[in-house]
């Protein structure tokens, strides 16, 4: 067993990373810090395991046995407690230049256990332009024992000057069979359910696991895939848009409520709320008001991101629906992601043309672009629903 065993269907990437980790280990044992690539870019479609691959590589770098998977070093990396690994994930819509500069300062520190200082930057594509420029300078001249692991959906999502200085590791979408095998063997999911979840998730491993194990996730998927047949009039389009946006808002609220409360309580405690003593209350207002406002802004940004991600996941479900319709219209012999609702697919395939299906897919993709440009979600989704109905 090694730290790379959990990377499903990524044999080529595993081979590259294993050899690099072994070479890095030889460099450390030989007292050399040179020869190691100090910036890596992990790219791949959603669910391909970019962050998992980067974390496994971090474990292999920090483990004296190249990522054995059972030593303390590997265990600490995999659970996120290793002192020489810093994982960064933008919680809001973007990652600011201030946060990036603070990260660069921390990255400059020497490793505490004598091997490497690893910075795992998830969603690096969410760095602002100023943050990306600051990051570029750190990657161009890193300390000899610091390794940057950047994760993004595609190389083009990062500045060309950053990606040209990184060694790229491209991950692919795992096959349905490979994902189903993981669910069946590691999560004890019945094979039929595992196959359904893997196919519906289109290779997205965490999504497949959620579909297989969580009834609520399956119900939400059914509601989204039921949208096309419900768009019988303008009123129904508006209602469908309202339900979709409301569901995303509820998911964002549920995901952030407890965390927001804990963060706010902790910040108030730090600034003295509940303490006794002359002048403490005035000190809380003067010293804590700005920090509290900054925290509230971050929390709102995080909620907006989660809401947007939830909406985007629903839109991608709709894309998969119409993609299956298009495949049936052309008679393509490909696996249908939504084979469990083949009757609905067949009905729409027979009652519409491929051109209409393509226009519907274009309408969904335009909606995704508008949401990314901060257009009001209700308006963007309503326009999409009307386009889906009117494509015929």
């Amino acid at each position: 067993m090694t730290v790379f065993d959990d990377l499903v269907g990524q044999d080529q990437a595993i081979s590259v990373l294993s050899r690099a980790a072994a070479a890095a280990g030889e460099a450390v044992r030989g007292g050399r810090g040179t020869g190691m690539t100090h910036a890596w870019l992990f790219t791949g479609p959603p669910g391909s395991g970019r962050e998992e691959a980067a974390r496994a590589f971090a474990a292999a770098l920090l483990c004296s046995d190249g990522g054995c998977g059972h030593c303390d070093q590997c265990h600490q990396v995999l659970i996120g407690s290793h002192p020489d690994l810093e994982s960064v994930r933008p919680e809001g819509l973007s990652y600011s230049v201030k946060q990036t500069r603070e990260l660069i300062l921390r990255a400059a520190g020497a490793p505490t256990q004598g091997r490497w200082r690893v910075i795992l930057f998830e969603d690096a594509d969410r760095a602002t332009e100023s943050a990306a420029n600051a990051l570029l300078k750190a990657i161009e001249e890193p300390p000899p024992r610091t390794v940057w692991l950047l994760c993004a959906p595609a190389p083009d999502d990062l500045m060309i000057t950053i990606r040209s200085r990184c060694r790229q590791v491209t991950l692919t979408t795992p096959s349905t069979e490979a994902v189903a095998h993981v669910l069946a063997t590691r999560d004890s999911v019945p094979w039929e359910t595992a196959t359904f979840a893997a196919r519906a998730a289109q290779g997205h491993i965490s999504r497949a696991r959620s579909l297989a194990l969580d009834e609520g996730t399956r119900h939400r998927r059914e509601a989204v895939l039921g949208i096309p047949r419900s768009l019988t009039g303008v009123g129904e389009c508006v209602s469908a848009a309202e339900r979709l946006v409301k569901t995303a808002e509820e998911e964002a609220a549920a995901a952030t409520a407890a965390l927001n409360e804990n963060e706010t309580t902790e910040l108030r405690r730090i600034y003295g709320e509940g303490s006794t003593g002359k002048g403490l209350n005035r000190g809380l207002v003067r010293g804590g008001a700005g920090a509290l406002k900054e925290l509230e802004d971050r929390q709102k940004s995080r909620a907006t991101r989660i809401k947007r991600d939830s909406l985007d996941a629903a839109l991608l479900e709709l894309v998969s629906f119409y993609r299956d319709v298009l495949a049936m219209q052309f008679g393509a012999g490909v696996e249908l992601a939504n084979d469990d609702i083949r009757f609905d697919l067949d009905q729409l395939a027979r009652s519409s043309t491929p051109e209409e299906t393509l226009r519907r897919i274009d309408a969904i993709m335009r909606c995704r672009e508008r949401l990314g440009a901060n257009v009001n979600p209700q308006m963007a989704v309503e326009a999409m629903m009307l386009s889906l109905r009117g494509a015929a």
Side-chain angles (χ1 to χ4, degrees):
M1 176 182 177
T2 72
V3 292
F4 296 111
D5 289 348
D6 287 338
L7 301 183
V8 180
Q10 308 295 345
D11 293 345
Q12 184 175 359
I14 291 173
S15 176
V16 170
L17 296 174
S18 297
R19 291 197 302 269
E26 290 296 327
V28 171
R29 284 189 287 273
R32 305 185 309 276
T34 58
M36 168 66 180
T37 302
H38 287 265
W40 295 72
L41 175 58
F42 293 78
T43 63
S48 58
R50 298 186 298 263
E51 289 78 19
E52 291 80 1
R55 190 172 296 276
F57 185 47
L61 290 175
L62 296 172
C63 170
S64 59
D65 200 18
C68 63
H70 52 75
C71 68
D72 289 342
Q73 302 283 350
C74 289
H75 179 69
Q76 288 175 354
V77 170
L78 297 179
I79 67 173
S81 64
H82 197 288
D84 288 332
L85 171 67
E86 177 152 2
S87 296
V88 180
R89 186 172 191 268
E91 291 188 338
L93 295 173
S94 61
Y95 200 73
S96 70
V97 65
K98 177 183 176 182
Q99 292 171 308
T100 303
R101 286 170 177 163
E102 292 172 351
L103 175 63
I104 292 170
L105 287 175
R106 297 196 298 273
T112 61
Q113 298 186 8
R115 293 182 64 84
W116 304 97
R117 175 82 170 144
V118 182
I119 311 299
L120 199 171
F121 196 161
E122 303 180 24
D123 296 334
D125 53 304
R126 295 193 179 188
T128 63
E129 183 177 355
S130 298
N133 286 325
L135 181 62
L136 172 62
K137 294 179 181 179
I139 291 176
E140 284 179 327
E141 299 178 2
R145 291 293 178 86
T146 297
V147 181
W148 289 84
L149 310 180
L150 310 181
C151 302
D156 289 346
D157 291 328
L158 295 181
M159 294 168 47
I160 187 172
T161 46
I162 288 182
R163 64 177 187 261
S164 67
R165 287 162 175 78
C166 297
R167 183 172 178 183
Q168 295 185 26
V169 178
T170 303
L171 304 174
T172 59
T173 301
S175 67
T176 295
E177 185 177 359
V179 176
H181 178 73
V182 170
L183 296 177
T185 56
R186 299 180 190 174
D187 299 291
S188 301
V189 176
W191 181 254
E192 184 176 352
T193 302
T195 303
F196 149 74
R199 184 176 58 244
Q202 302 176 76
H204 194 304
I205 300 172
S206 60
R207 170 71 173 166
R209 182 172 285 112
S210 183
L211 281 169
L213 301 176
D214 181 40
E215 187 176 359
T217 301
R218 293 194 293 273
H219 286 326
R220 286 191 291 273
R221 171 180 176 269
E222 291 170 2
V224 171
L225 295 180
I227 286 175
R229 65 173 178 270
S230 73
L231 304 179
T232 56
V234 174
E236 287 76 11
C237 291
V238 174
S239 296
E242 185 177 3
R243 288 195 303 272
L244 201 60
V245 173
K246 184 178 180 181
T247 298
E249 290 173 346
E250 290 173 348
E251 289 184 5
T256 58
L259 180 59
N260 288 352
E261 183 178 355
N262 291 338
E263 289 176 342
T264 302
T265 300
E266 178 63 17
L267 185 63
R268 289 183 178 277
R269 185 193 64 77
I270 291 173
Y271 278 92
E273 184 173 80
S275 303
T276 59
K278 186 176 180 180
L280 277 179
N281 286 337
R282 288 195 299 272
L284 171 64
V285 174
R286 289 196 304 269
L292 188 60
K293 178 64 169 60
E294 184 178 347
L295 175 62
E296 289 173 351
D297 290 341
R298 290 202 306 269
Q299 291 172 342
K300 289 178 181 178
S301 179
R302 179 170 60 202
T304 300
R305 180 185 62 80
I306 294 174
K307 175 183 174 181
R308 183 180 294 176
D309 288 349
S310 177
L311 271 176
D312 194 60
L315 297 181
L316 289 176
E317 291 278 15
L318 285 174
V319 169
S320 76
F321 177 92
Y322 288 112
R323 172 261 189 193
D324 286 349
V325 170
L326 191 64
M328 295 183 75
Q329 288 172 328
F330 280 115
V334 297
E335 181 181 68
L336 301 180
N338 305 290
D339 190 64
D340 53 307
I341 55 170
R342 179 180 282 268
F343 178 78
D344 291 345
L345 298 173
D346 185 62
Q347 274 198 321
L348 187 56
R350 291 175 181 273
S351 63
S352 62
T353 66
E355 290 79 13
E356 291 164 353
T357 304
L358 285 171
R359 284 198 291 270
R360 288 181 168 117
I361 293 174
D362 286 342
I364 299 171
M365 301 309 289
R366 281 198 304 273
C367 182
R368 295 183 69 208
E369 292 175 1
R370 289 167 178 169
L371 291 173
N374 290 321
V375 172
N376 180 281
Q378 184 69 32
M379 295 178 62
V381 178
E382 282 181 6
M384 179 197 74
M385 295 296 184
L386 291 170
S387 295
L388 294 181
R389 175 180 178 270

